[in-house]
Amino acid sequence: MKIIRFILGRIILFLDWATSPSPITISEEERLRINTFTSSMVMYEFKACPFCVRVRRFMKRNNIVIPTKDARKNKDYAEELVSGGGKLQVPCLVIPIEGKSSEWLYESKDIINFLAKELGIKL
Ligand SMILES: N[C@@H](CCC(=O)N[C@@H](CS)C(=O)NCC(=O)O)C(=O)O
């Protein structure tokens, strides 16, 4: 099972690399706006998870830079994810909310919809 998952993971990473989307052209002002919005966010992921790939591709296409934490490779990250978000499932976007505890947003579709809505990106 582990070997099949490993091979599938390599295939996913290869296809992602081979068909990687180009970022759309935006102004420096727009880049600054996006970076300011995402500045304190972080995304938990597994490198070869297809749902994480989907979110990373959306981010790359739209010039969204969010640091990632690989919860498969790093046990501490996996523990952070479970204690913060409640379950070991990726992708999970951590959204800091002023004066409150952070929101831990699961589900690739919900993450993409959230970023698209907040940044005014048409899907
Ligand atoms: N519907 C979810 C599916 C996410 C999902 O199944 N992620 C898998 C990795 S591909 C996961 O976190 N599995 C937990 C584990 O392997 O421990 C989404 O679209 O984000």
Side-chain angles (χ1 to χ4, degrees):
M1 196 60 197
K2 241 184 171 178
I3 188 84
I4 293 173
R5 203 166 63 185
F6 176 80
I7 293 167
L8 275 177
R10 295 293 119 180
I11 293 171
I12 288 168
L13 287 178
F14 172 74
L15 289 176
D16 178 38
W17 170 79
T19 65
S20 184
S22 301
I24 54 172
T25 305
I26 56 170
S27 65
E28 280 314 303
E29 204 175 44
E30 182 63 0
R31 192 178 304 281
L32 185 65
R33 188 181 73 86
I34 293 172
N35 289 345
T36 303
F37 178 70
T38 60
S39 67
S40 310
M41 294 181 188
V42 66
M43 190 174 82
Y44 288 83
E45 64 166 12
F46 297 162
K47 267 287 167 282
C49 156
F51 305 98
C52 303
V53 168
R54 178 201 275 173
V55 177
R56 287 204 306 269
R57 289 171 73 89
F58 168 80
M59 294 198 306
K60 184 175 178 208
R61 177 88 183 127
N62 293 288
N63 300 281
I64 299 169
V65 180
I66 296 175
T68 54
K69 290 185 171 182
D70 191 326
R72 172 86 79 208
K73 277 202 183 137
N74 187 318
K75 287 260 177 311
D76 291 343
Y77 292 163
E79 278 169 22
E80 278 174 25
L81 176 57
V82 174
S83 64
K87 56 183 172 180
L88 181 64
Q89 182 184 299
V90 290
C92 178
L93 180 68
V94 185
I95 308 158
I97 302 170
E98 235 183 277
K100 285 189 190 172
S101 46
S102 302
E103 183 181 350
W104 295 65
L105 183 61
Y106 288 93
E107 294 297 326
S108 51
K109 257 192 183 168
D110 293 347
I111 294 170
I112 290 172
N113 285 340
F114 165 77
L115 291 171
K117 181 168 175 262
E118 295 298 323
L119 293 168
I121 297 165
K122 276 197 196 129
L123 293 175

